[in-house]
Amino acid sequence: MSNILSAPWKNKQNTVLCALLLILILHSLPNSLEAQTSDIVITKDDTFTDPRDNQNYRIRTFQRDDIGLGISISQTWMIDNLNYKIDNSWFFDNSKRKWGEYGRLYNWEAAQSACPTGWHLPSDIEWQRLLHILSTSRLVNLNLEAFSKSSTLSGSEFEVQLGGILGFDGIFAEIGEQGGCWSATEFGRTKAYASIFGYSIGLPRSILHKEFGLSVRCIKNNNGADPPKARPR
């Protein structure tokens, strides 16, 4: 009788032990994978003085190391909107006193030559790389919040300034609620890619007419030389 009762008990013991062992194995897998492919985001803050007008800008270096893939991506950006006066650039509502802290708005043609030597208007690919760097950062719970809100969420945030938009109809709108930054990448002859940010924006990538007025964020050249100018597609 004891042998008949003990057999099911042993089976139950074995089942419980196997279940516990499986749980331990599954629990350990993410940790081991994480150790192989974890991302390290390093940020370095500095300042840059534009020699053309002696205005100071905060700059920040973002770096992502994909340990599992053995690659590293690094970018250095201005984290203030550009405020260099050039033709076809405007303060929001043409008021420097009221809105000067947001920098100037530029149409696409003006944005091409607005950045100082050693810096350039980022391409659409460079914008996507920035998203790639920050989207997996442990320092930023991105979900596009790091780009869509002007408040500082962490040390590696891009710190978007929602400087509004100058519409194709010449009307200024949405300051403090939305803003956009040009890319150097054209979409045909009359439009270009831009990153649009705001509390109600789901995806930042957009295509706008070149006559819109948007903010400019400059990215540092990797080799110290100005990149070639964009050409129509």
Side-chain angles (χ1 to χ4, degrees), residues 102-170:
Y102 288 93
R104 302 180 75 92
L105 302 175
Y106 302 78
N107 70 16
W108 186 83
E109 291 292 343
Q112 297 303 302
S113 57
C115 293
T117 300
W119 299 75
H120 63 274
L121 187 69
S123 67
D124 181 58
I125 290 178
E126 287 173 314
W127 276 108
Q128 297 309 309
R129 285 176 181 165
L130 180 62
L131 277 171
H132 176 67
I133 290 172
L134 294 184
S135 64
T136 56
S137 169
R138 296 179 181 277
L139 301 179
V140 177
N141 179 18
L142 184 64
N143 196 23
L144 301 178
E145 281 192 20
F147 287 84
S148 298
K149 296 182 179 180
S150 57
S151 60
T152 300
L153 298 181
S154 78
S156 69
E157 205 222 328
F158 190 59
E159 297 193 34
V160 166
Q161 296 167 302
L162 303 176
I165 294 173
L166 174 59
F168 187 64
D169 53 5

Side-chain angles (χ1 to χ4, degrees), residues 139-218:
L139 301 179
V140 177
N141 179 18
L142 184 64
N143 196 23
L144 301 178
E145 281 192 20
F147 287 84
S148 298
K149 296 182 179 180
S150 57
S151 60
T152 300
L153 298 181
S154 78
S156 69
E157 205 222 328
F158 190 59
E159 297 193 34
V160 166
Q161 296 167 302
L162 303 176
I165 294 173
L166 174 59
F168 187 64
D169 53 5
I171 297 176
F172 294 93
E174 302 295 337
I175 193 165
E177 297 293 329
Q178 293 185 15
C181 294
W182 283 118
S183 85
T185 305
E186 297 179 273
F187 185 85
R189 292 187 175 274
T190 61
K191 297 180 180 179
Y193 287 98
S195 293
I196 304 298
F197 312 109
Y199 293 102
S200 61
I201 300 299
L203 294 174
R205 193 168 182 245
S206 188
I207 297 171
L208 295 178
H209 197 283
K210 293 178 180 178
E211 292 305 312
F212 272 74
L214 301 180
S215 301
V216 165
R217 287 291 181 96
C218 302

Side-chain angles (χ1 to χ4, degrees), residues 45-74:
D45 290 351
D46 205 342
T47 58
F48 170 80
T49 302
D50 190 338
R52 300 172 298 180
D53 57 9
N54 293 319
Q55 291 197 73
N56 294 318
Y57 297 91
R58 298 173 301 155
I59 64 176
R60 183 166 292 167
T61 298
F62 304 91
Q63 179 174 320
R64 173 179 169 182
D65 295 330
D66 286 315
I67 297 174
L69 299 177
I71 61 174
S72 178
I73 304 173
S74 179

